[in-house]
């Protein structure tokens, strides 16, 4: 029995070494996009999101030299994301990035959906949805073209979306889900055209993921939902399940309201960031790097994603 346990232990060690040595470089990771990239909770706070969990896992195997999610902001549409990556504050971050994740497109679509959580109903205009999806397609193409130019060292991963309304009546899910599937198809197609990777998170959630989406009046996942998203990425990134994050590895909740974040930023001295491959990783998983909250305060009054 001891010999058997010893063999298991040696296997785990060799697997860990193999995973770590499979990557040629440590990553400079920049998370871009909407509130899912920022880590918004189901209760309008910011905490650990999928990008934080990805950074946590990469750091744990010695594969992370830098991480930021300051180019992510709740409420961002594809138009906002395109504007952000063209901004001056993004230049240095993108130029040095080796790993980029992009969450963009859901706000283009979901802001058109009228939800009545008490009645369990959804409503939207098909004409408006068609227009929004076409705009998302064009903008995503532009986003990926810009990233190819501005982040020449980076491998880019486009994150898909889950069905966000698990508590509505089953008969109400079909139409909205069909639009979400169209959005994911657009994101996958644009990623493939640009030579980026697409991350399917839809299958991990399905249509009834109340365990990941606990607030019927909000479309954001809990940390278990973000764990599913992070693992979907890590499986594509590593080519196996070796880097999957278990529930036991999740950090303790430490959410902050937008007001707390803004107050914290107002009292902090601004610092110019110079990203290099030799910087120690930013592993403050809760709130780190959100100057965008000041720059984009207009979005706080109308956050939908």
């Amino acid at each position: 029995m001891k010999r058997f346990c010893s063999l298991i232990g040696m296997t785990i060690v060799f697997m860990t070494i193999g995973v770590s040595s499979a990557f040629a470089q440590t990553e400079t990771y920049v998370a871009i996009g909407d509130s899912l990239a920022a880590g918004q909770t189901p209760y309008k706070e910011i905490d650990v999101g999928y990008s934080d969990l990805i950074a946590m896992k990469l750091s744990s195997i010695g594969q992370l030299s830098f991480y930021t999610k300051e180019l992510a902001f709740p409420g961002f549409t594809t138009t906002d994301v395109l504007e952000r990556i063209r901004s001056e504050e993004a230049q240095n971050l993108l130029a040095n990035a080796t790993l980029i994740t992009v969450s963009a497109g859901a706000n283009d679509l979901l802001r058109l959906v009228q939800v009545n959580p008490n009645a369990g109903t959804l409503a939207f205009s098909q004409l408006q949805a068609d227009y929004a999806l076409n705009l998302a397609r064009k903008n995503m193409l532009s986003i990926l073209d810009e990233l190819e130019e501005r982040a020449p060292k980076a491998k880019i991963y486009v994150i898909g979306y889950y069905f966000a309304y698990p508590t509505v009546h089953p008969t109400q899910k079909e139409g909205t889900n069909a639009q979400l599937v169209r959005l994911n198809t657009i994101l996958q197609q644009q990623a493939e055209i640009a030579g980026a990777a697409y991350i399917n998170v839809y299958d991990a959630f399905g249509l009834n993921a109340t365990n990941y989406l606990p607030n019927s009046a909000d479309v954001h996942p809990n940390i278990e939902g973000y764990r599913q998203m992070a693992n979907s990425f890590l499986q594509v990134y590593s080519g196996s399940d070796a880097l999957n994050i278990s529930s036991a590895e999740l950090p303790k909740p430490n959410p902050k309201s937008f007001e707390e974040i803004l107050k914290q930023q107002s009292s902090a001295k601004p610092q110019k960031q110079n990203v290099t491959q030799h910087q120690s990783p930013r592993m403050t998983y809760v709130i780190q790097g959100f100057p965008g909250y000041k720059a984009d305060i207009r979005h706080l009054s109308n956050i939908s994603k």
Side-chain angles (χ1 to χ4, degrees), residues 2-211:
K2 288 183 179 179
R3 176 178 173 80
F4 178 70
C5 292
S6 177
L7 288 172
I8 291 176
M10 290 175 64
T11 301
I12 292 172
V13 169
F14 287 133
M15 285 177 63
T16 303
I17 294 173
V19 168
S20 181
S21 63
F23 307 106
Q25 63 180 6
T26 58
E27 301 286 12
T28 297
Y29 174 27
V30 179
I32 297 172
D34 54 28
S35 57
L36 297 182
Q40 186 167 331
T41 75
Y43 305 101
K44 299 193 185 315
E45 297 171 310
I46 298 290
D47 202 347
V48 172
Y50 77 80
S51 62
D52 301 288
L53 294 177
I54 291 169
M56 179 188 76
K57 174 55 72 172
L58 294 181
S59 179
S60 73
I61 62 170
Q63 293 301 139
L64 187 71
S65 60
F66 179 85
Y67 161 62
T68 183
K69 58 181 181 180
E70 67 186 73
L71 299 184
F73 188 82
F76 266 12
T77 63
T78 53
T79 300
D80 296 316
V81 171
L82 183 58
E83 179 182 344
R84 174 55 61 86
I85 65 175
R86 288 172 171 168
S87 67
E88 183 179 352
E89 67 207 35
Q91 288 183 9
N92 192 46
L93 294 173
L94 295 177
N96 289 280
T98 63
L99 169 62
I100 293 174
T101 54
V102 182
S103 291
N107 282 318
D108 300 61
L109 180 64
L110 296 188
R111 63 178 51 197
L112 305 176
V113 179
Q114 299 174 15
V115 186
N116 186 332
N118 295 324
T121 60
L122 299 172
F124 65 92
S125 163
Q126 186 63 61
L127 183 62
Q128 289 180 325
D130 291 343
Y131 177 83
L133 289 170
N134 189 49
L135 181 61
R137 178 185 61 80
K138 293 179 180 179
N139 281 342
M140 182 55 67
L141 179 61
S142 297
I143 287 168
L144 296 175
D145 284 345
E146 290 283 344
L147 290 176
E148 182 179 8
E149 178 181 346
R150 296 170 185 270
K153 296 183 288 187
K155 173 65 177 178
I156 299 168
Y157 295 80
V158 176
I159 310 296
Y161 289 95
Y162 52 82
F163 181 73
Y165 307 105
T167 61
V168 301
H169 193 276
T171 59
Q172 294 287 302
K173 294 179 180 180
E174 183 176 351
T176 303
N177 180 60
Q179 308 312 308
L180 177 67
V181 170
R182 289 177 65 198
L183 173 61
N184 282 335
T185 300
I186 288 169
L187 296 178
Q188 183 173 5
Q189 289 173 343
Q190 299 301 74
E192 291 173 352
I193 290 171
Y198 172 75
I199 306 300
N200 174 7
V201 304
Y202 179 90
D203 292 343
F205 281 72
L207 298 181
N208 303 295
T210 53
N211 50 332

